[in-house]
Each structure stands twice: as structure tokens, then as C-alpha cells.
Amino acid sequence: MIVASGGSRDWAAYYTKTGARPPRPNLLFALDRFEAETSDTPRLAVDLGAGGGRDVIEMLRRGWRVMAIDGEAAAAEALRARSDLPVGASFETKTARFEDADWPGCDLVNSSFALPLCTPDQFPLVWQKITYSLNSGGRFAGQFYGERDSWAGREGMTFHTQHEVEALLLGLEIEFFEEEEDDSKTPRGEAKHWHVFHVVAQLRLG
Ligand SMILES: C[S@@+](CC[C@H](N)C(=O)[O-])C[C@H]1O[C@@H](n2cnc3c(N)ncnc32)[C@H](O)[C@@H]1O
């Protein structure tokens, strides 16, 4: 994981370094679950904090329509410049903070390592927008940072205990829940303790 703590230049470097990495395992789990279900029309995913598109590419490869939202213009540029965009890919980019952005009803909201970058006061509204935007049977896939993460307490970021994550997911059916704790160095050499909850949850069919 690359630390990108500040301005656009940091994120542009992050996209260059990580864009070609494989999609996140919890996203793959969610996509496989959808593939086991039938659908007459191409499904729509919204990727919040899509970055350079490592997850977006996989969704497009599997025939999804994707709205990629990121606060950095460099993210949309990086995604659009990718040489591995599938021919005929149906996607839209939006440069906006997810606190401010609107997005349509969708089958999947994916947000990999991005939601914790929301301030604690804005987080409840963002989470409400996510859950309200899910179609019946839709899924959320993403990460929450735990209270033992070494970034816990950083200004502008949101951290959750396991209990708090479970409370957020009430009303959804948890299909994938992994708690990760490990120590590693960021590519910039910063030692970091990761405490991350990896989640897939489905809005029950109504
Ligand atoms: C750690 S990167 C993850 C990128 C991508 N999801 C991935 O897994 O490679 C976090 C991304 O979230 C974006 N981001 C951070 N805070 C945001 C916000 N409040 N609204 C929209 N995007 C945000 C950053 O610009 C960055 O592209």
C-alpha cells in the first residue's frame, strides 16, 4: 500500500504504481456472486475513490457498466489513459468528492481503500448515500480501517471498531468479512500497521 497523504502529485504517483495491480479479492468475491445470479441487462457499478482503475478494469472486463468517481482529476486521466481498457467498455468518470457526488441507483458500490479518507462528520451521510443507492439485491464491496491501524486518529480520516462496522452493515447481509492486521512498509519506506476490515454485503432482495 502506498501512502498518499496529500496533494495531487502524491495520488498521480500512486495511480502509476498501483494501477496495474490486480483487483481486490473482496471485489472478485462480489463479482462472482453476481455472476451466479441471473440478469437480463448489464449491471451498473459505482466505484467511489476509483483511483487509477485497478478494480474498474476488472468490472469492465466482465461486462459491467461503471461510474468511476474520484476527488482527483488525475484518477480519471489515469483510467482513461489505460491501455487495457476493454474495447467497447461502458464507463463514465466523475471528478468529485464522494461527500458531494450524486450517483444513480446501482447494483454494486465498490470502494477500495477509499472510504476511510472521509471525515468522521461526513461519513454517516456518505454511508447513507451508499446504502440508499443500492438496488434490491445490490452489494457493497470495500474496506473500513480499524482502530488499531497506525493511521488511527489522523485528521480527516474515519476509523471503526469491528462492532461499529457490524452496526453499519445492519440491514445488509454480510457475505464476506475479513479482518486484516499486519505490519509492512509502504513503498515510501514508512512502517505501517494495517488494521483493515474487508467487506462484501448485500441488500436483501425485497
Ligand atoms: C488509496 S486510493 C485507492 C484507489 C483505488 N480504489 C484502489 O484500490 O487502487 C484512494 C482514492 O480515493 C480518492 N479519494 C480520497 N478521498 C476522497 C473523497 N473524499 N472523495 C472522492 N475520492 C476520494 C483518492 O483520490 C484516491 O484515488
Side-chain angles (χ1 to χ4, degrees), residues 26-199:
N26 62 321
L27 170 67
L28 294 177
F29 177 96
L31 295 177
D32 289 348
R33 282 285 169 112
F34 279 110
E35 278 171 24
E37 300 161 358
T38 50
S39 169
D40 298 336
T41 50
R43 293 180 169 107
L44 175 67
V46 173
D47 195 325
L48 298 178
R54 62 189 281 187
D55 287 345
V56 173
I57 285 291
E58 179 66 14
M59 293 186 270
L60 294 175
R61 209 180 57 74
R62 294 188 188 214
W64 282 68
R65 295 180 296 127
V66 179
M67 176 182 281
I69 300 178
D70 199 287
E72 295 290 332
E77 285 162 21
L79 175 59
R80 291 188 174 280
R82 290 185 70 120
S83 58
D84 54 353
L85 279 172
V87 176
S90 173
F91 72 102
E92 182 182 337
T93 56
K94 210 175 203 186
T95 300
R97 297 185 63 78
F98 33 70
E99 296 89 329
D100 307 322
D102 292 320
W103 57 87
C106 58
D107 303 295
L108 171 66
V109 173
N110 181 63
S111 187
S112 290
F113 290 90
L115 282 187
L117 299 166
C118 181
T119 58
D121 62 318
Q122 298 267 29
F123 191 95
L125 176 66
V126 171
W127 183 248
Q128 189 183 63
K129 288 203 293 184
I130 290 171
T131 54
Y132 282 17
S133 69
L134 289 177
N135 295 336
S136 178
R139 291 181 168 86
F140 165 78
Q143 282 76 25
F144 304 93
Y145 284 178
E147 80 277 22
R148 290 187 295 281
D149 193 278
S150 55
W151 288 345
R154 271 198 185 187
E155 204 181 334
M157 292 184 66
T158 301
F159 300 84
H160 293 93
T161 62
Q162 177 167 342
H163 185 69
E164 287 168 341
V165 174
E166 287 166 354
L168 287 172
L169 298 174
L170 284 174
L172 303 176
E173 185 172 322
I174 298 173
E175 298 180 311
F176 182 107
F177 195 97
E178 273 184 19
E179 181 180 19
E180 176 191 351
E181 275 207 70
D182 60 39
D183 295 296
S184 63
K185 277 195 169 182
T186 70
R188 293 183 188 180
E190 183 194 359
K192 166 101 170 61
H193 183 74
W194 296 99
H195 184 203
V196 183
F197 298 103
H198 304 268
V199 169

